Amino acid sequence: MRLSPWSSLTTLYVGIGAFVAIVLALAAGEWLQPAWPMIVLCALLIGMLVTMCTRRHLQAQAHSRSREEERLLVKVASLYDAGAIGRISVLESVGGRSQPLQQIDVAARRMALLRQVAEGIYGVEALFDTQGRLSWITPSIERLTGHTPEDCLAADNAIALLVHESDRRYCLQAATQVLESGGEQHFEMRLARRDGGSGWVACRWRQILDDGGVLVGVRMSAEDIQARKETEYKLLETVAELRRAQALREHYLSRSNDERQRMAALLNLIRLGILFIDRDHRVLYFNRAVLEIWGHGPEESPIGFRDVVLQSRVLPLVESPDELIAHIRAVLESSAVASEPHETRLKDGRIITDVSAVVAGGEGRGGIGRVWIYEDVTEQHRIAEQLVALAERDPLTNLYNRRRFHEELERQLAEAKRHGGVQVGLVAIDLDGFKPINDRFGHQAGDEVLVKLAEGVGRIIRRNEMFFRVGGDEFCVLVSSTNERELSELASRLVEGVGALRFTFEGEAAGVTASIGIALYPMHADGGEELIAAADEAMYRSKNGGRNRWTVARPYADGMATPAAPAT
């Protein structure tokens, strides 16, 4: 039979007491023999007393150690949320007597068990000290974020590493409030993943106190709720979509009449004429602009009219009725869904454009009719013509400007080259005496000279002759299908007409003359720039020859101009 540690210790001390008693008895001699039983009894009592004291001391030490181990295990168990384990007591009794050596083995086994439980926790458990620094975290953090516990513990700011930036500020506020005020904080937040993503968790923050009630940190418990969040989002989207569909359905059912009225009011306000003709060629809908565009009174209603009746009422207003009929027939016979814009000029000067498109029916029923859209573009045409005029006319004299001159020159030269044998003439005009007037009497006087000269020359040139202002006091006349004789006659008229102009500024009479150069394509040049250079050269020879005259350019041969006597 195996004795307990306490039985062995008692036997040892009793034996020691008996041995001491025998030794004392033998040493005392025969004079103590009568007291020998008493001495032995006293020795035994002393041994038992020493045994009891030693036992009490060992029991106190074992009890204190077991209480420390018990508190540690209970604290670890509470931190790990090991509720199923409960409050673990490592004190075991065998035969009513404590066994301190077994307590250590039990504590080690329980610690290993708790470590396994902590490593197997599905959620996240983390401990932070009072400074907010992470001191411990479960391995499950790597599954949720991709960060290992070692990465988290090594980070200067674990919250900044693990919590998504959108929730980081609120998380810090909650942790600070728990540290300062106690209580618990429950909320949902997103953890930041190493790969840049995020995942939702439901977390709980609460204080950690030691046995003395002193605050040692804060504990965070988190549960993965990403799947729940995704399900909630899908449900919310589905519910929102169902609500939108229901709202639309109720809106269309209850407000269909109001919608038609609003649409009718809108279509009546726009300036586009809208006409819908059904598949039976009868008018099903029109707006007020249609009546205004085609000159009908507001009391008229073409509803139910056939398209041929409408045409018979419109044709008297059109400049070219046959052209309009042909256009309508082409649109109706075309297989295209929509027609191209078409312009129709009315006798009152207005311009109307129309486009049309087939209105498709639902469920493969084919076209249910055709919609026509009309617009009065008279004002747009007028504005466009004004913009073109501003782009190609001189604002002071209203003559064509240099840009239009070059465009027209290239066009006429291209026509002459294409037809062959056609000559294009260029007359270059430079005013003599214009600069003294401008310098002495001012720019306003100079502008008056230019305006009156444009008016005077405009009365001299003919319809096939285009007059341009290409510079300050430089002008050109471009003539197509001409010859040297006609250009010489034109130059003579221009010299005479410009010289006859008279002006009065500040009570003084003034006048100008013209130096003119004449060039012909292809006689004097092979292209536009060459033709301009030839005319300019002839014009400068007129200036050098005494001014108020005209000169013909030198003939063009093999790309070179040869001198010729000026004609005056």
Side-chain angles (χ1 to χ4, degrees), residues 6-51:
W6 292 116
S7 299
S8 300
L9 190 63
T10 303
T11 303
L12 175 63
Y13 279 114
V14 171
I16 293 173
F19 176 76
V20 171
I22 293 172
V23 171
L24 291 175
L26 291 176
E30 295 182 354
W31 64 274
L32 289 178
Q33 287 183 355
W36 184 84
M38 184 61 69
I39 293 172
V40 171
L41 180 61
C42 289
L44 292 175
L45 291 175
I46 291 171
M48 293 181 66
L49 180 61
V50 171
T51 300

Side-chain angles (χ1 to χ4, degrees), residues 311 315-316 318-330 342 344-345:
Q311 293 177 21
L315 291 177
V318 179
E319 283 187 355
S320 302
D322 295 339
E323 181 182 345
L324 178 60
I325 293 175
H327 161 65
I328 296 174
R329 184 181 297 112
H342 177 266
T344 301
R345 292 185 176 271

Side-chain angles (χ1 to χ4, degrees), residues 408-420 424 521:
E408 193 64 27
L409 176 62
E410 294 299 325
R411 186 188 68 80
Q412 292 193 20
L413 290 179
E415 288 287 332
K417 290 178 181 179
R418 184 163 54 250
H419 294 95
V424 177
Y521 168 86

Side-chain angles (χ1 to χ4, degrees), residues 74-91:
V74 170
K75 177 66 69 176
V76 172
S78 66
L79 292 179
Y80 289 167
D81 264 348
I85 297 177
R87 178 176 175 86
I88 302 174
S89 175
V90 298
L91 298 178

Side-chain angles (χ1 to χ4, degrees), residues 467-511:
F467 190 25
F468 303 87
R469 183 190 179 193
V470 294
D473 59 345
E474 298 176 1
F475 299 85
C476 287
V477 179
L478 191 60
V479 186
S480 61
S481 302
T482 186
N483 52 53
E484 185 176 339
R485 180 183 58 80
E486 293 179 351
L487 288 182
S488 299
E489 294 176 357
L490 173 60
S492 296
R493 295 198 307 271
L494 291 175
V495 169
E496 182 180 354
V498 173
L501 295 175
R502 290 293 178 267
F503 307 93
T504 302
F505 302 110
E506 298 179 4
E508 297 183 21

Side-chain angles (χ1 to χ4, degrees), residues 54-337:
T54 303
R55 178 178 180 181
R56 288 295 187 103
H57 178 69
L58 292 177
Q59 282 180 339
Q61 286 184 341
H63 182 69
S64 175
R65 184 167 58 252
S66 65
R67 291 292 297 174
E68 289 295 329
E69 293 174 352
E70 181 182 9
R71 282 195 297 270
L72 175 62
L73 292 175
V74 170
K75 177 66 69 176
V76 172
S78 66
L79 292 179
Y80 289 167
D81 264 348
I85 297 177
R87 178 176 175 86
I88 302 174
S89 175
V90 298
L91 298 178
E92 294 183 353
S93 298
V94 178
R97 290 173 296 177
S98 299
Q99 303 179 13
L101 297 179
Q102 276 193 337
Q103 293 174 8
I104 298 176
D105 294 338
V106 171
R109 290 196 300 272
R110 296 291 171 82
M111 285 293 294
L113 175 61
L114 289 175
R115 186 178 297 108
Q116 294 178 6
V117 171
E119 293 177 351
I121 291 177
Y122 187 76
V124 175
E125 295 289 337
L127 304 181
F128 296 85
D129 60 20
T130 55
Q131 303 301 319
R133 184 174 180 84
L134 180 68
S135 57
W136 179 82
I137 194 167
T138 54
S140 56
I141 190 65
E142 186 173 3
R143 176 182 59 83
L144 293 180
T145 66
H147 297 288
T148 64
E150 291 76 14
D151 296 337
C152 301
L153 292 171
D156 294 334
N157 190 339
I159 292 180
L161 175 68
L162 297 175
V163 181
H164 192 270
E165 59 180 355
S166 300
D167 303 329
R168 194 174 300 154
R169 182 178 179 182
Y170 182 81
C171 180
L172 288 172
Q173 292 176 348
T176 303
Q177 184 175 353
V178 170
L179 281 171
E180 295 177 352
S181 306
E184 295 185 359
Q185 290 287 335
H186 300 262
F187 57 90
E188 296 177 354
M189 67 179 184
R190 284 163 290 183
L191 295 181
R193 296 183 57 84
R194 182 189 288 273
D195 58 8
S198 62
W200 282 95
V201 295
C203 61
R204 175 188 177 195
W205 294 76
R206 54 193 182 277
Q207 289 183 346
I208 303 175
L209 305 176
D210 61 9
D211 292 339
V214 178
L215 176 66
V216 296
V218 64
R219 172 187 176 188
M220 187 271 289
S221 304
E223 177 187 357
D224 183 8
I225 59 170
Q226 181 64 26
R228 191 193 78 192
K229 278 290 184 180
E230 292 176 356
T231 303
E232 288 178 358
Y233 289 151
K234 291 180 180 179
L235 289 175
L236 289 174
E237 291 176 359
T238 303
V239 171
E241 186 64 29
L242 290 175
R243 287 179 176 175
R244 285 195 295 268
Q246 181 180 2
L248 286 174
R249 185 164 53 250
E250 293 176 354
H251 174 74
Y252 290 140
L253 290 175
S254 62
R255 301 295 181 88
S256 59
N257 184 57
D258 293 343
E259 187 66 28
R260 286 195 299 270
Q261 295 298 326
R262 286 193 293 270
M263 185 61 67
L266 172 63
L267 295 178
N268 282 328
L269 286 175
I270 64 176
R271 300 186 60 92
L272 298 177
I274 301 175
L275 182 69
F276 180 77
I277 297 179
D278 62 18
R279 66 177 67 186
D280 295 326
H281 302 281
R282 293 186 180 275
V283 177
L284 190 63
Y285 174 82
F286 72 96
N287 69 343
R288 189 178 304 160
V290 168
L291 301 179
E292 297 174 355
I293 289 174
W294 293 109
H296 300 302
E299 71 285 350
E300 297 186 53
S301 175
I303 295 295
F305 284 12
R306 292 184 63 84
D307 53 2
V308 292
V309 176
L310 287 181
Q311 293 177 21
S312 64
R313 302 182 63 176
V314 167
L315 291 177
L317 308 175
V318 179
E319 283 187 355
S320 302
D322 295 339
E323 181 182 345
L324 178 60
I325 293 175
H327 161 65
I328 296 174
R329 184 181 297 112
V331 169
L332 296 179
E333 293 175 356
S334 173
S335 59
V337 176

Side-chain angles (χ1 to χ4, degrees), residues 394 396-399 448-461 467 469 475 501:
D394 173 51
L396 177 63
T397 61
N398 200 35
L399 298 176
E448 183 179 342
V449 170
L450 295 176
V451 171
K452 288 187 177 181
L453 181 137
E455 294 173 354
V457 175
R459 290 190 294 267
I460 295 173
I461 63 173
F467 190 25
R469 183 190 179 193
F475 299 85
L501 295 175

